[in-house]
């Protein structure tokens, strides 16, 4: 039950509210436990209000990018491999997988699974589904995963993937939400088709409004997909989402506004589910641009603000302090014992002096498009940094076009990451020299070498050591300030029951609430 | 009557010209938006190669005038083209949303127009009475609050008590009865927002006439005040009233995006915002043209109706 916490920072305001909060927590917590332990029951219409979704959403898996399409996909599709709630890989369409050398991966495809259309699932379908993300013409967001892939072929009931270098974590990549198994025709999938082999069949879908799905009567998993019907609703306005839950229009909502959590708890109509995962908010600095070229300047900034204050004020306590480490507590090789960075103006001044400066002036571009509260976080940092002789000018930029015009264009800005289940995935995506999404343009030879070496290292203890060293490098020499891990905060009607352990891999139980949850 | 037809013809031609100018302005404005569709579609995680591949696929590399010309010729043939983001025909995307928007606008108009005319006439009849002051104060209070605030207050009073739903769901199985029930709160919100304008215009127009000599004459003949107002004042006050009603109807069609968001109502406004944030330019243009046409047509209708009710207007020019 460690993830069902009600953290509250010991601020002055927190103390004032403490009495009420403790009572509320005391009332709600036992209810959680009672619900979490009931056996799954079949039936009911499960309505989820999701703060994402747009009329431009579609069925093409290469273009999925937010919670609505991700959850919608988890309802109608299966993947080769599933990440279980405890973070381990479990078989889904791949019954088993194995590799002798880490470079050639053999996935044994489950027999007796059929698509909603009635077509039996074959290894050819798997190959077609993976090939959708490969090659010149592919527009898939996960195309880089397949760069090292030299060949994908069918061998009897197996699918064999060959890489140009060993990668011990390759099966983890195959659990990515972009890679559902879809029916193939002539080696190609139809990216406009709803057909899948998941627990629910699409009844209707209006992009940006709603999706309705009914239980798949032929679903191969006996102990999953408990609801008769799933309704996913796009409710963009946080207040409207909260209203929908309070007036019983929906049973679950995501992204509860931190400011309204205590209000919701006091009403007693719903319970809060706050899951700490690997998702984090960050402020990348351009390591190629002065003054951020000097690691002492970067270190000075890292010591110049109060991380706990950001967790308390921006996340209302629903998160935890991060040590400029993109690898989170939910990762296998998380370096928990790394030397923490407290708010320390003297240390910041010391690093400035090392850099040959006595004061520093930088501009931080922020918009709430990066994460909710990004502008406030930037202002809080700027207030605290003043004591260290650092002037951070907060440049509030428009949300619209943020990822185009500000991110990776301005030398110091706000950003976020959903977190990745695998260390290698996170580092390769955003920290390796020259990676397309290396938002800080940081380049470190020792880090790059370790990254490649760790991929093919099959001894667990050695890998752990290597990944911890990489985390230390990113934290103390990197160019990204990562102040906090943000929890996934959801609110559930009292009738909704979840397994005791809810996944911290992604939001909404790794998008699989539709499959794993039930009505008590 | 031929003069009326000539006037309608003239106005229609002028309306077309206005729409053409608007289409150029819209296209120019959308060109000024920073960022592009490919980036918005693929999100933060897109790489340069995938972006280039998608841009090529969508034909974003053509110069702006070429894209504008292609689009305009399509529209003239009744083809709005396909959405760049979803590859679906725009008429299909916009069709259901337009229906929803018109339904909500008509619903709100059916509530607000009779209400404001009635209140306006009564307020003029009993001007400076307690009724006049109270209805004025209430209407002005309602219009002074921002729409979302009115909406949240209604949700607090009428939705959280379980009387009406706080959000609107429209599926294939929704009957008109269901829809009237579930869309009541958004329609009421809009009614509260537009009533003051129409009511006060009605009141002012009638009071203005009540000072005229012919009304004095009617009173001296011994007519009841109600008869004086309804039979003598209202017909002559129709022109300004029709104009303000038309203006508010156009507002109900084009300006309700905040209400749509709060009540999760799948209307055109929300679709347009989606299209703008996703840089789905053809959809933005199509909706902007629809909104512009609504204004042009409703104003044309108002002109014609006020001319018909007041023949003097026709001979003025």
């Amino acid at each position: 039950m460690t993830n069902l916490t009600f953290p509250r920072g010991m601020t002055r305001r927190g103390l004032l509210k403490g009495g009420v909060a403790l009572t509320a927590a005391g009332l709600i917590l036992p209810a959680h436990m009672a619900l979490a332990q009931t056996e799954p029951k079949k039936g009911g219409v499960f309505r989820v209000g999701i703060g994402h979704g747009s009329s431009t959403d579609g069925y093409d898996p290469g273009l999925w990018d937010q919670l609505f399409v991700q959850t919608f996909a988890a309802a109608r599709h299966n993947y080769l491999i599933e990440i279980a709630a405890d973070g381990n890989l479990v078989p889904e369409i791949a019954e088993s997988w194995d590799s002798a050398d880490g470079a050639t991966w053999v996935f044994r495809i489950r027999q007796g699974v059929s698509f909603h259309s009635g077509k039996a699932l074959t290894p050819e379908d798997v190959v077609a589904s993976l090939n959708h993300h490969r090659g010149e013409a592919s527009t898939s967001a996960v195309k880089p995963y397949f760069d090292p892939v030299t060949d994908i072929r069918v061998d009897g009931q197996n699918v064999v993937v060959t890489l140009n270098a060993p990668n011990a974590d390759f099966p983890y990549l195959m659990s990515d939400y972009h890679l559902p198994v879809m029916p193939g025709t002539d080696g190609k999938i139809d990216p406009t088709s709803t057909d899948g082999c998941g627990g629910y069949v699409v009844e209707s879908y209006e992009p940006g409004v709603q999706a309705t799905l009914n239980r798949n009567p032929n679903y191969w998993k006996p102990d999953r997909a408990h609801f008769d019907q799933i309704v996913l609703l796009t409710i963009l306005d946080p207040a409207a989402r909260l209203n929908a839950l309070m007036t019983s229009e929906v049973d679950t909502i995501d992204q509860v506004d931190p400011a309204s959590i205590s209000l919701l708890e006091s009403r007693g109509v719903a319970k809060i589910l706050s899951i700490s995962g690997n998702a984090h908010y960050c402020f990348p600095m351009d390591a190629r641009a002065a003054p951020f070229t000097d690691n002492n300047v970067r270190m000075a900034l890292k010591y110049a603000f109060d991380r706990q204050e950001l967790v308390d004020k921006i996340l209302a306590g629903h998160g935890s302090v991060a040590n400029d480490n993109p690898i989170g507590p939910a990762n296998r090789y998380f370096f928990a014992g790394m030397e923490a960075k407290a708010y320390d103006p003297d240390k910041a001044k010391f690093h400035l002096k090392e850099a040959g400066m006595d004061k520093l002036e930088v501009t931080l571009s922020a918009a709430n498009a990066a994460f909710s509260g990004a502008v406030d976080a930037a202002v809080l940092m700027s207030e605290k940094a003043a004591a260290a002789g650092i002037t951070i000018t907060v440049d509030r930029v428009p949300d619209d076009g943020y990822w185009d015009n500000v991110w990776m264009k301005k030398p110091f800005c706000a950003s976020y990451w959903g977190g990745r289940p695998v260390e290698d995935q996170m580092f390769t995506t955003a920290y390796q020299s020259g990676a397309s999404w290396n938002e800080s343009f940081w380049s470190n030879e020792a880090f790059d070498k370790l990254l490649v070496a760790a991929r093919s290292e099959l001894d667990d203890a050695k890998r752990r050591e290597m990944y911890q060293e990489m985390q230390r490098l990113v934290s103390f020499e990197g160019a990204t300030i990562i102040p906090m891990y943000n929890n996934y905060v959801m609110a559930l009607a009292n009738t909704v029951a979840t397994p005791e352990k809810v996944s911290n891999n992604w939001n909404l139980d790794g998008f699989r609430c539709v499959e794993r949850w039930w009505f008590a | 009557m031929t003069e009326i037809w000539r006037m309608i013809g003239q106005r229609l031609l002028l309306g077309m010209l206005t729409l053409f100018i608007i289409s150029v302005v819209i296209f120019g404005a959308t060109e000024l938006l920073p960022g592009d569709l490919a980036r918005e579609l693929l999100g933060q995680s897109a790489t340069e190669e995938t972006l280039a591949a998608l841009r090529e696929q969508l034909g974003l590399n053509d110069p702006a005038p070429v894209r504008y010309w292609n689009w305009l010729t399509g529209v003239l043939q009744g083809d709005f083209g396909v959405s760049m983001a979803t590859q679906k025909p725009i008429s299909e995307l916009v069709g259901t949303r337009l229906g929803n928007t018109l339904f909500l606008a008509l619903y709100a108009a059916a509530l607000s127009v009779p209400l404001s005319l009635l209140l306006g006439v009564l307020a003029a009849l009993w001007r400076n009475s307690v009724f006049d002051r109270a209805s004025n104060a209430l209407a002005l209070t309602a219009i002074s609050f921002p729409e979302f605030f009115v909406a949240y207050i209604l949700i607090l009073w009428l939705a959280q008590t379980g009387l009406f739903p706080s959000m609107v769901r429209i599926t294939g199985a929704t009957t008109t009865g269901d829809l009237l029930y579930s869309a009541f709160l958004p329609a009421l919100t809009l009614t509260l927002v537009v009533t003051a304008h129409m009511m006060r215009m009605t009141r002012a127009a009638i009071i203005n006439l009540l000072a005229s000599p012919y009304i004095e004459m009617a009173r001296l003949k011994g007519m009841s005040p109600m008869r004086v107002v309804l039979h003598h004042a209202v017909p002559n006050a129709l022109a300004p009233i029709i104009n303000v009603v038309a203006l508010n109807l156009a507002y109900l069609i084009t300006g309700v995006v905040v209400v749509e968001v709060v009540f999760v109502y799948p209307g055109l406004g929300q679709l347009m915002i989606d299209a703008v944030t996703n840089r789905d330019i053809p959809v933005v243009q199509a909706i902007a043209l629809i909104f512009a046409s609504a204004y042009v047509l409703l104003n044309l209708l108002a002109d014609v109706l006020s001319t018909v009710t007041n023949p003097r207007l026709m001979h003025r020019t």
Side-chain angles (χ1 to χ4, degrees):
Chain A
M1 293 301 292
T2 46
N3 48 31
L4 299 176
T5 50
F6 296 82
R8 248 161 229 288
M10 292 307 271
T11 59
R12 259 170 294 173
R13 282 179 67 188
L15 270 177
L16 285 176
K17 293 191 295 188
V20 186
L22 281 176
T23 327
L27 283 173
I28 291 165
L29 212 73
H32 264 303
M33 292 179 162
L35 281 173
Q37 281 157 7
T38 54
E39 282 299 303
K41 265 194 336 201
K42 298 269 173 203
V45 178
F46 184 49
R47 300 156 304 170
V48 192
I50 298 177
H52 285 280
S54 142
S55 46
T56 52
D57 295 342
Y59 290 118
D60 185 345
L63 302 181
W64 294 338
D65 59 350
Q66 33 77 0
L67 196 59
F68 188 93
V69 281
Q70 287 159 341
T71 312
F72 186 32
R76 68 184 193 276
H77 287 303
N78 273 178
Y79 294 79
L80 273 181
I81 293 170
E82 173 182 356
I83 297 191
D86 59 9
N88 289 318
L89 294 183
V90 293
E92 197 161 28
I93 293 303
E95 263 177 348
S96 63
W97 53 94
D98 196 22
S99 173
D101 55 359
T104 304
W105 284 91
V106 180
F107 297 90
R108 179 147 194 91
I109 304 305
R110 191 179 296 278
Q111 282 178 300
V113 177
S114 58
F115 289 106
H116 302 152
S117 57
K119 177 186 178 309
L121 187 150
T122 63
E124 282 79 10
D125 295 321
V126 175
V127 174
S129 302
L130 297 182
N131 276 336
H132 180 67
H133 308 273
R134 278 178 81 202
E136 278 295 296
S138 173
T139 53
S140 172
V142 292
K143 207 168 154 184
Y145 291 3
F146 290 88
D147 284 344
V149 173
T150 52
D151 183 46
I152 302 179
R153 65 189 165 85
V154 176
D155 175 19
Q157 194 58 30
N158 296 337
V159 168
V160 183
V161 181
T162 316
L163 311 177
N164 58 15
N167 183 355
D169 288 327
F170 188 72
Y172 271 97
L173 297 183
M174 293 298 104
S175 72
D176 190 283
Y177 65 84
H178 290 97
L179 305 173
V181 179
M182 291 170 73
T185 327
D186 303 329
K188 278 195 158 58
I189 57 164
D190 175 7
T192 60
S193 149
T194 68
D195 202 10
C197 51
Y200 299 92
V201 184
V202 179
E203 182 188 291
S204 68
Y205 176 42
E206 273 176 84
V209 182
Q210 63 94 30
T212 306
L213 304 95
N214 296 315
R215 207 184 119 74
N216 174 4
N218 305 317
Y219 196 36
W220 63 275
K221 293 184 196 171
D223 55 342
R224 286 290 187 86
H226 306 293
F227 303 107
D228 291 336
Q229 193 177 54
I230 301 283
V231 180
L232 305 175
L233 294 161
T234 292
I235 309 180
L236 298 175
D237 182 39
R241 223 160 38 239
L242 210 56
N243 272 321
L245 182 73
M246 293 209 287
T247 55
S248 299
E249 297 283 330
V250 296
D251 306 301
T252 290
I253 57 172
D254 76 314
Q255 296 172 67
V256 182
D257 179 17
S260 40
I261 290 172
S262 56
L263 291 171
L264 191 62
E265 282 171 345
S266 69
R267 291 289 284 269
V269 291
K271 55 200 171 186
I272 296 286
L273 194 56
S274 183
I275 307 283
S276 64
N278 297 329
H280 52 268
Y281 296 158
C282 56
F283 297 94
M285 303 170 265
D286 187 343
R288 306 165 308 174
F292 305 114
T293 41
D294 188 337
N295 191 41
N296 274 306
V297 170
R298 308 197 297 246
M299 284 301 281
L301 282 164
K302 287 174 182 175
Y303 280 112
F305 68 100
D306 187 348
R307 291 156 199 262
Q308 187 62 47
E309 181 187 38
L310 292 190
V311 172
D312 293 340
K313 292 184 178 162
I314 304 298
L315 301 175
H318 287 266
S320 52
V321 167
N323 189 8
D324 304 315
N325 184 358
I327 305 305
N331 279 114
R332 286 165 303 170
Y333 302 127
F334 173 59
F335 192 177
M338 192 157 54
E339 185 202 332
K341 297 191 198 80
Y343 172 51
D344 192 339
D346 291 335
K347 251 189 188 155
K349 276 183 186 155
F350 165 78
H351 281 289
L352 275 190
K353 197 169 268 175
E354 289 287 292
M357 307 175 173
D358 45 41
K359 64 185 173 62
L360 173 66
E361 283 179 20
V362 292
T363 301
L364 172 54
S365 309
N368 287 343
F371 56 86
S372 143
V375 177
D376 292 343
V379 171
L380 287 173
M381 286 168 73
S382 136
E383 292 287 316
K384 280 286 189 309
I390 300 175
T391 313
I392 301 179
T393 311
V394 179
D395 176 19
R396 187 181 182 147
V397 292
D399 281 351
D400 195 40
Y402 183 78
W403 301 111
D404 240 2
N405 306 315
V406 178
W407 184 70
M408 290 185 78
K409 300 258 167 41
K410 300 274 181 190
F412 190 20
C413 67
S415 173
Y416 79 101
W417 285 90
R420 296 292 186 273
V422 198
E423 294 77 3
D424 179 54
Q425 211 178 347
M426 189 70 234
F427 284 147
T428 311
T429 313
Y431 294 89
Q432 189 178 22
S433 303
S436 325
W437 317 329
N438 183 339
E439 51 187 2
S440 64
F441 303 96
W442 181 62
S443 171
N444 184 303
E445 210 176 319
F447 176 86
D448 290 345
K449 274 191 186 145
L450 270 172
L451 184 62
V452 176
R455 237 177 252 164
S456 42
E457 177 59 59
L458 302 175
D459 177 23
D460 198 57
K462 273 191 194 149
R463 284 192 91 194
R464 175 175 301 274
E465 223 167 82
M466 292 164 125
Y467 278 118
Q468 296 201 336
E469 174 62 12
M470 282 186 257
Q471 291 172 53
R472 204 194 57 74
L473 282 172
V474 169
S475 176
F476 286 88
E477 291 178 29
T480 308
I481 296 176
I482 305 174
M484 52 193 159
Y485 302 111
N486 55 304
N487 282 10
Y488 297 120
V489 185
M490 301 155 250
L492 283 62
N494 291 325
T495 48
V496 177
T498 66
E500 197 166 335
K501 173 92 181 145
V502 171
S503 175
N504 54 18
N505 178 26
W506 287 103
N507 210 337
L508 289 176
D509 205 355
F511 316 134
R512 291 188 184 245
C513 59
V514 284
E515 196 173 290
R516 292 179 181 161
W517 297 1
W518 65 90
F519 280 121
Chain B
M1 275 320 271
T2 47
E3 278 152 340
I4 285 278
W5 289 115
R6 195 187 309 137
M7 190 191 87
I8 293 176
Q10 269 175 355
R11 293 293 158 104
L12 272 177
L13 283 177
L14 277 175
M16 300 282 277
L17 185 67
T18 315
L19 285 179
F20 173 72
I21 293 168
I22 288 171
S23 80
V24 175
V25 171
I26 294 165
F27 192 84
T30 50
E31 284 296 300
L32 288 179
L33 286 172
D36 74 338
L37 171 78
R39 166 70 75 178
E40 291 301 329
L41 270 184
L42 295 175
Q44 177 210 23
S45 48
T47 63
E48 273 312 315
E49 309 148 44
T50 48
L51 282 176
L54 192 65
R55 275 195 203 110
E56 187 59 39
Q57 200 178 314
L58 296 173
L60 291 177
N61 294 331
D62 289 338
V66 174
R67 277 181 284 132
Y68 174 69
W69 178 250
N70 290 344
W71 173 73
L72 191 69
T73 45
V75 169
L76 289 178
Q77 292 157 22
D79 173 21
F80 279 99
V82 292
S83 153
M84 283 188 180
T86 58
Q87 300 298 322
K88 280 189 194 160
I90 288 172
S91 46
E92 192 182 302
L93 271 179
V94 169
T96 44
R97 296 293 186 102
L98 179 62
N100 293 344
T101 289
L102 288 180
F103 174 82
L104 185 59
L106 286 178
Y107 192 2
L111 292 178
S112 60
V113 172
L115 179 73
S116 36
L117 292 187
L118 183 73
L119 286 179
V121 169
L122 291 181
L125 194 59
W126 301 321
R127 64 183 178 283
N128 299 331
S129 69
V130 177
F131 173 83
D132 181 23
R133 279 160 208 271
S135 54
N136 255 314
L138 280 176
L140 284 177
T141 310
I143 204 180
S144 304
F145 286 123
E147 284 165 50
F148 65 88
F149 184 78
V150 175
Y152 287 143
I153 292 285
L154 290 180
I155 287 179
L156 181 67
W157 287 345
L158 298 175
Q160 296 205 352
T161 49
L163 285 174
F164 290 96
S166 71
M167 57 180 281
V168 187
R169 279 192 59 201
I170 302 175
T171 61
T174 313
T175 63
T176 312
D178 290 342
L179 202 52
L180 284 174
Y181 172 66
S182 68
F184 180 70
L185 288 189
L188 186 61
T189 309
L190 290 173
T191 303
L192 288 174
V193 172
V194 297
T195 297
H197 193 195
M198 292 190 281
M199 176 201 136
R200 286 175 59 81
M201 184 54 101
T202 309
R203 178 180 176 276
I206 291 174
I207 285 179
N208 199 21
L209 284 173
L210 288 184
S212 339
Y214 81 97
I215 296 285
E216 191 93 348
M217 184 64 217
R219 282 220 195 88
L220 289 174
K221 283 199 295 186
M223 280 183 187
S224 74
M226 186 63 102
R227 195 176 157 80
V228 170
V229 167
L230 289 183
H231 284 254
H232 296 267
V234 167
N236 280 313
L238 274 179
I241 296 175
I242 288 170
N243 269 307
V244 74
V245 167
L247 205 61
N248 277 292
L249 283 181
Y251 169 78
L252 286 176
I253 293 172
T254 60
V256 300
V257 67
V258 172
V259 173
E260 283 178 13
V261 168
V262 172
F263 291 102
V264 201
Y265 191 88
L268 267 187
Q270 189 60 50
L271 183 67
M272 185 163 187
I273 286 185
D274 276 359
V276 170
T277 49
N278 288 301
R279 304 291 183 265
D280 199 346
I281 303 304
V283 178
V284 178
Q285 288 163 335
I287 297 175
L289 261 191
I290 289 174
F291 284 170
S293 316
Y295 264 99
V296 169
L297 283 178
L298 282 167
N299 275 311
L300 174 81
L301 193 68
D303 277 356
V304 173
L305 285 181
S306 37
T307 313
V308 171
T309 56
N310 189 348
R312 271 181 305 173
L313 286 176
M314 221 175 336
H315 303 291
R316 203 177 270 172
T317 47

